[in-house]
């Protein structure tokens, strides 16, 4: 997925309560689920494009209020996992101890280097003795080894098969230097970027950022698809309505855009 500068890595605000996200209310259109704050589903099946647009506007606004707290919390969780891992393993740890630490923390990957960047702990095994710069997906974490940054997180990448996001985050390993990098899967990143607005708005909703789908409840449109691939032109997004085809069905659709997010609401044509 093409990316701009990572939102997670430019955060400069303090932690705020993640409970802000819980205040998101469900859309009132067809298929909308009740929200944790007591919103109700109309269940009428009679939603219109105007209903969908109003619902999209409501949910985007609620997301905007809580996104900074969500971003901070997600990154903080990742960095704490790396810190915990660094406190539990070292170059002297047995293979069994490394595996136990990884499983206890729910990790798919655990890498620890010394102060020069040489990998001294690897889970799964195989990278020991290599320099972190030799591992393409880990090379960026050499900035932590060199002291350019105390911590770093890559933009999580969507895993379509598991419907989760792959997280890679690293922190400096104590006073001795080096870096601890953890990798794990987390579906919660959808809430951080606004992809879960599709579920909150119910059926036949598509959420995009940077012209790429990040959330969809419209059958036939998958996460990761581009605006071009789903047959929508940028000009369509500013129209009162337009025709959208997904699978073998046609829909009447309209879009709401705020900042980097676009929500397309659709009803069967």
């Amino acid at each position: 997925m093409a990316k701009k500068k990572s939102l997670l890595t430019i955060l400069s605000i303090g932690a705020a309560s993640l409970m802000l996200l819980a205040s998101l209310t469900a859309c009132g259109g067809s298929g909308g689920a009740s929200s944790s704050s007591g919103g109700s589903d109309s269940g009428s099946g009679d939603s219109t494009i105007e209903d969908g647009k109003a619902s999209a506007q409501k949910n985007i606004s609620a997301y905007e209020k809580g996104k900074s707290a969500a971003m901070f919390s997600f990154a903080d969780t990742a960095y704490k996992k790396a810190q915990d891992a660094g406190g539990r393993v070292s170059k002297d740890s047995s293979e069994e101890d490394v595996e136990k630490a990884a499983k206890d923390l729910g990790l798919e990957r655990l890498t620890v280097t010394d102060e020069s960047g040489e990998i001294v702990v690897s889970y799964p095994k195989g990278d020991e003795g290599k320099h972190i710069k030799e591992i393409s997906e880990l090379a960026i974490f050499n900035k932590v080894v060199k002291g350019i940054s105390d911590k770093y997180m890559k933009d999580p990448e969507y895993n379509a098969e598991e419907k989760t996001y792959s997280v890679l985050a690293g922190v400096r390993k104590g006073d001795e230097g080096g870096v601890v990098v953890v990798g794990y899967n987390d579906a919660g990143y959808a809430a951080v970027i606004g992809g879960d607005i599709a579920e909150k708005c119910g059926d036949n909703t598509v959420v995009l950022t940077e012209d790429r789908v990040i959330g969809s409840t419209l059958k036939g449109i998958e996460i990761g698809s581009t605006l071009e691939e789903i047959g929508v032109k940028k000009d369509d997004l500013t129209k009162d309505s337009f025709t959208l085809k997904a699978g073998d069905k046609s829909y009447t659709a309209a879009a709401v855009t705020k900042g980097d997010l676009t929500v397309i609401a659709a009803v069967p044509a």
Side-chain angles (χ1 to χ4, degrees), residues 216-233:
S216 174
T217 55
L218 182 55
K219 187 175 181 180
I221 294 183
E222 303 296 330
I223 292 176
S225 301
T226 64
L227 198 63
E228 182 179 2
E229 288 171 342
I230 66 175
V232 177
K233 298 177 181 179

Side-chain angles (χ1 to χ4, degrees), residues 10-221:
I10 63 172
L11 281 174
S12 59
I13 66 166
S17 171
L18 186 57
M19 291 302 294
L20 285 169
L21 283 186
S23 67
L24 295 180
T25 53
C27 295
S30 172
S34 297
S35 75
S36 59
S37 59
S40 61
D41 174 14
S42 66
S44 66
D46 296 326
S47 65
T48 66
I49 283 297
E50 290 306 312
D51 292 333
K53 289 176 67 175
S55 297
Q57 290 170 340
K58 176 178 63 178
N59 279 280
I60 291 178
S61 294
Y63 163 74
E64 290 288 332
K65 292 178 182 178
K67 72 176 183 179
S68 293
M71 289 174 185
F72 182 93
S73 181
F74 189 89
D76 192 52
T77 295
Y79 294 139
K80 284 182 177 178
K81 278 183 180 286
Q83 289 169 347
D84 289 346
R88 294 182 57 165
V89 301
S90 70
K91 63 181 180 181
D92 299 320
S93 298
S94 67
E95 184 177 343
E96 291 75 17
D97 287 342
V98 172
E99 182 175 358
K100 184 177 188 307
K103 290 184 176 179
D104 287 349
L105 293 170
L107 306 179
E108 297 290 324
R109 183 172 203 160
L110 172 56
T111 303
V112 180
T113 77
D114 62 16
E115 67 279 5
S116 70
E118 181 178 323
I119 296 173
V120 295
V121 174
S122 174
Y123 175 84
K125 290 183 65 63
D127 290 336
E128 299 90 341
K130 298 178 182 178
H131 195 282
I132 196 167
K133 293 190 297 183
E134 299 178 48
I135 314 298
S136 59
E137 62 269 34
L138 301 181
I140 188 65
F141 292 99
N142 192 49
K143 67 180 351 182
V144 179
V145 175
K146 296 172 68 175
I148 297 173
S149 176
D150 287 334
K151 57 189 177 182
Y152 182 78
M153 175 184 290
K154 296 181 72 171
D155 287 318
E157 296 184 0
Y158 185 67
N159 184 334
E161 291 185 5
E162 298 184 8
K163 299 185 185 304
T164 62
Y165 288 82
S166 299
V167 181
L168 276 177
V171 298
R172 183 176 175 82
K173 182 171 171 56
D175 295 333
E176 65 267 38
V179 63
V180 181
V181 181
V182 295
Y184 60 96
N185 297 320
D186 192 332
Y189 191 62
V192 175
I193 58 177
D196 68 336
I197 290 175
E199 282 71 28
K200 294 180 184 299
C201 284
D203 294 340
N204 305 330
T205 306
V206 181
V207 183
L208 304 99
T209 186
E210 300 178 16
D211 296 338
R212 190 172 292 272
V213 177
I214 59 171
S216 174
T217 55
L218 182 55
K219 187 175 181 180
I221 294 183

